[in-house]
Amino acid sequence: MTGYQNDPYSAVDSNPLSVYVMHPFWNFVVKFLPTWLAPNLITFTGFMFLVLNFLMLAFYDSDFTASAAGHEHVPSWVWVAAGIFNFLAYTLDGVDGKQARRTNSSTPLGELFDHGLDSWACIFFVATVYSIFGRGESGVGVATLYYILWVVLFSFILSHWEKYNTGILFLPWGYDISQVTISLVYLVTAVVGVETWYKPVFWHFLYRDLFTFMIIACSFTVTLPMSLYNVLKAYRSNTLKHSSLYEAFLPFLSPVLLFVLSTTWVVYSPSEILELQPRIFYLMVGTAFANVTCKLIVCQMSNTRCQALSWLLLPMAPVVLLAVTGVVGNETLLLYLWTAAVILAHIHYGVSVVQQLSGHFNILAFSLKKPNSD
């Protein structure tokens, strides 16, 4: 891990909500945290709140039908808990960096831990939000949500692609707005019930349409144009960190290939696997994407060339082939086994990198003490 340098974290956050509201709030909150509390432990705790939300809704709404008319709805207390947990996760994600600076413990490990878990959190966040509308008549189809998930995933990786090419992480505006809004929507749902979302906002425009429109519009009118602008600006001013546009766009090869493989499975599945097991399929895709993104984050931190192909995609190709050709009779079992393999592979990768970084910088992941200190 000799390529890592303990350089100051370079990020730009120009979102008015973040600058004028959330940062002052996080500065207030961090004062109540003990100075012995490791920033990575704060990061991990926030991430686990999102995982808890995902598991909680998976229990009460496993196939995303609970919010549909005629089905047993999710209990109101679950929406209250989801709103609180989501805001706590968002708050801890904002506080961890401030705790690191407050305790003079900022390291590349903290940066990787923060953004690596954020990349995985995308799937838990999106799948939990989906339960508000579900797949009923007034909800969103599982195929539509699949493509919305991909919009969210690509929006996330765009920021790290920018840093890979410019050395600066431009934080997207949509993140803060979406986190505050969704936390409030969870709480409102607990009070008014999911039936409220059946009614149109105006004319025939439903709330689910507003949900879809906001995600897609934010990605294609703000996030994508700003990312391309920042990278092309660096290219024109000869400040691009890589030698050519080919090298600059290389990080997109693995995500695009993952999209092609997973979409092939969705479109040509003999048993319509996405209709049968949407939650598990989303989890598989989101985890595989997080693995690809983490490798990009490691490359941007170590100033090394991005891998053209993530090794995780090599076994995925025959898995998809087995599924779409019908060679494997039980497609659901195949999906469960492959999802378990992807999760274990991603956890193994994460633990290995954290251990290497901890050893390289002589630090502990979840403690501010030195490894050899008493």
Side-chain angles (χ1 to χ4, degrees), residues 180-231:
V180 173
T181 301
I182 291 301
S183 297
L184 291 173
V185 169
Y186 284 140
L187 297 177
V188 170
T189 302
V191 176
V192 303
V194 294
E195 295 87 355
T196 301
W197 311 125
Y198 297 168
K199 304 170 186 175
V201 184
F202 58 86
W203 200 36
H204 298 298
F205 196 76
L206 299 174
Y207 284 100
R208 60 103 187 269
D209 302 319
L210 183 62
F211 163 73
T212 303
F213 174 79
M214 286 179 63
I215 292 176
I216 295 176
C218 183
S219 297
F220 287 97
T221 63
V222 179
T223 306
L224 178 60
M226 288 182 68
S227 295
L228 291 174
Y229 171 77
N230 289 327
V231 171

Side-chain angles (χ1 to χ4, degrees), residues 62-65 135 142-143 265-266 269-282 329-333 335-336:
S62 60
D63 59 355
F64 302 109
T65 58
R135 58 200 288 196
V142 290
W265 194 346
V266 168
S269 168
S271 64
E272 297 187 351
I273 193 66
L274 193 60
E275 293 289 337
L276 288 176
Q277 298 290 339
R279 187 176 291 274
I280 300 301
F281 199 91
Y282 298 150
N330 192 333
E331 196 176 350
T332 296
L333 178 60
L335 173 63
Y336 271 76

Side-chain angles (χ1 to χ4, degrees), residues 313-324:
L313 301 180
L314 296 178
M316 185 173 177
V319 168
V320 172
L321 185 63
L322 288 173
V324 300

Side-chain angles (χ1 to χ4, degrees), residues 301-345:
M301 288 169 52
S302 56
N303 291 318
T304 55
R305 184 174 183 264
C306 180
Q307 283 183 315
L309 182 64
S310 174
W311 72 264
L312 190 61
L313 301 180
L314 296 178
M316 185 173 177
V319 168
V320 172
L321 185 63
L322 288 173
V324 300
T325 56
V327 172
V328 176
N330 192 333
E331 196 176 350
T332 296
L333 178 60
L334 178 64
L335 173 63
Y336 271 76
L337 291 174
W338 175 240
T339 302
V342 170
I343 292 173
L344 290 174

Side-chain angles (χ1 to χ4, degrees), residues 282-299:
Y282 298 150
L283 178 60
M284 180 273 291
V285 170
T287 304
F289 191 90
N291 188 259
V292 171
T293 304
C294 283
K295 290 173 182 176
L296 173 60
I297 294 171
V298 169
C299 290

